[in-house]
Structures are given as C-alpha cells and as structure tokens.
Amino acid sequence: MPNRGGKIFHGYGSVTNRALTHLLSDHYLKRKPPMQDTFEWQKDDRVVAVLTFGVPASRHMQIGACPTDPNLVVELNRLWIADDQLGGTASWFIAQCLKEMPPKIILSYADTAAGHDGTVYRAANFYYAGWTDMDRKTPRFDYIAPGKHTRDAFRSGYTNKVRRRPKARYWTVTGNKRDKTRLRALCQWPVMDWKQEPVPTEHRRRCAKAALNQSEQDIDAQV
C-alpha cells in the first residue's frame, strides 16, 4: 500500500468497538449497517477510517443488478473518514479495500439528502448509474424513526414521513482481470456519463441555504 502510515485491517462481520463508535456517533446515519466485509484503518493508535460492505437491505436491489446470480451483489453501505485526514484519502481508502475483496459486484449510493453526489466514488473509478427513481413520475416517502431504516420504521408503526430525496447510484467490480470482465458483463446497472446526466442539484441548493442560515445565526449571536 502507499506509505500513508498505519495499517488497514480486514474483518468479517464486525468491526472493533472503536470503529463502531465512529459509525454510530460520527456517521450521519448513526445506525449499525449489515456487515459482511469490514475495513478499518488504524494510525497513531486511533481509528481514522472505516468502510463496510454488506448484503443490501433489498433483495430486489441484488436481483436488479445481477438477475442471473444476485448473491454476487454486495453494497458498500458505510464510509467514514476522520476530518483531519488529507484530501483524497476517501478514494484512496476505498481503492485499498476493494483490492482485498473477493470477486463481487459492488453497489453504492450517494445520499443527496445529506449533500452527497458521489464525487468520492467517481474518484475511485466507480461507474455512474444515474439516480434512484429517475424514471418515476410520483414521489416516494421515507418513514422517520431514530436509528431505524425507513422500512423498519414503517413496520414498527411510525407514521412521520418525508419525501424521499434521490440517491446517486454507483457500481464497480472486484477480483482479478478475468473476474472483473465476467462481472461487468453480468451487471445490469447502466454506465452513464455523469456530466450528461448529472445528479439532481436540489440538495446543493438546500445545503447552501442551510449554510447561509447558519452564518446569519452566527452573526446574530455575535451582535
């Protein structure tokens, strides 16, 4: 690995308590994901990055990406990087982790509701596949409950809901050269040009407005 110091540990099904603390307290979703392959980068006696792969929450996602063998599909479902790490660390860390993965079709989403558009995935050479519900005419809604996925919130009887924001879709494949050729042929997600079909920018306007409102509040507090 490039000399960035520390060591990346590959685990199976779990992470250390220190890494889990970062996922639950510092990652914006603040809940434990399904974990199959896990990676944590430890440096200077602390965890500075965590990445997890797991079985997608929806079997339909697996079937849609690879109808002939859905079990080949896993999701990159969490990525956390300490704020004090150098620029480019996220894409570098993803690339190192992918090298250690068995032959798989890897899916991931960039959550526009959190201000993400997937720049880190493009930097890591993922394929861009548009966004969720891009052909849908009517909106979807997410049910809201602390620490729960929208599906689990609905099943638990929670009724508060918000309009679902689009998520940018990305995918890649792992394994040796032959594996990658085979898996690319099997994956049914498209390869699109993000410049021609950019991720919806509504989230950017919201984030800019939120930043402006926060700045105004900070100014008011100082007066």
Side-chain angles (χ1 to χ4, degrees), residues 59 96 99 182:
R59 180 66 170 175
Q96 305 312 309
K99 292 176 183 177
R182 176 176 63 89

Side-chain angles (χ1 to χ4, degrees), residues 121-161:
Y121 297 123
R122 297 197 297 273
N125 295 317
F126 276 59
Y127 300 110
Y128 171 59
W131 59 91
T132 54
D133 297 335
M134 61 187 301
D135 297 320
R136 188 180 176 89
K137 304 301 182 184
T138 56
R140 291 179 188 261
F141 291 87
D142 285 326
Y143 289 85
I144 305 300
K148 289 182 179 290
H149 188 277
T150 180
R151 179 193 60 249
D152 298 322
F154 174 75
R155 291 174 178 172
S156 300
Y158 287 86
T159 57
N160 292 335
K161 60 183 180 180

Side-chain angles (χ1 to χ4, degrees), residues 25-195:
S25 63
D26 300 331
H27 191 277
Y28 75 97
L29 288 176
K30 301 187 183 305
R31 64 173 183 265
K32 183 179 178 181
M35 292 186 288
Q36 195 171 69
D37 286 82
T38 65
F39 296 87
E40 54 186 275
W41 181 18
Q42 297 183 13
K43 184 169 65 170
D44 300 329
D45 197 34
R46 67 190 186 103
V47 177
V48 296
V50 183
L51 185 149
T52 66
F53 298 93
V55 176
S58 168
R59 180 66 170 175
H60 295 295
M61 185 195 305
Q62 291 179 294
I63 295 172
C66 186
T68 56
D69 194 349
N71 291 331
L72 286 172
V73 178
V74 298
E75 182 181 5
L76 192 169
N77 52 23
R78 289 295 186 279
L79 172 64
W80 172 82
I81 307 290
D83 291 338
D84 61 356
Q85 296 305 294
L86 296 173
T89 292
S91 57
W92 172 84
F93 182 55
I94 291 172
Q96 305 312 309
C97 299
L98 291 176
K99 292 176 183 177
E100 303 300 319
M101 286 291 289
K104 292 289 184 179
I105 296 172
I106 310 290
L107 310 182
S108 197
Y109 293 88
D111 190 351
T112 66
H116 305 156
D117 67 3
T119 300
V120 64
Y121 297 123
R122 297 197 297 273
N125 295 317
F126 276 59
Y127 300 110
Y128 171 59
W131 59 91
T132 54
D133 297 335
M134 61 187 301
D135 297 320
R136 188 180 176 89
K137 304 301 182 184
T138 56
R140 291 179 188 261
F141 291 87
D142 285 326
Y143 289 85
I144 305 300
K148 289 182 179 290
H149 188 277
T150 180
R151 179 193 60 249
D152 298 322
F154 174 75
R155 291 174 178 172
S156 300
Y158 287 86
T159 57
N160 292 335
K161 60 183 180 180
V162 296
R163 184 168 67 84
R164 181 177 298 180
R165 308 295 180 181
K167 295 181 180 180
R169 307 191 308 170
Y170 292 88
W171 67 278
T172 191
V173 294
T174 55
N176 60 34
K177 187 175 181 179
R178 179 176 294 181
D179 293 328
K180 290 179 179 179
T181 299
R182 176 176 63 89
L183 293 171
R184 276 192 291 265
L186 289 175
C187 185
Q188 296 301 296
W189 273 23
V191 176
M192 300 173 61
D193 185 339
W194 67 272
K195 293 181 180 178

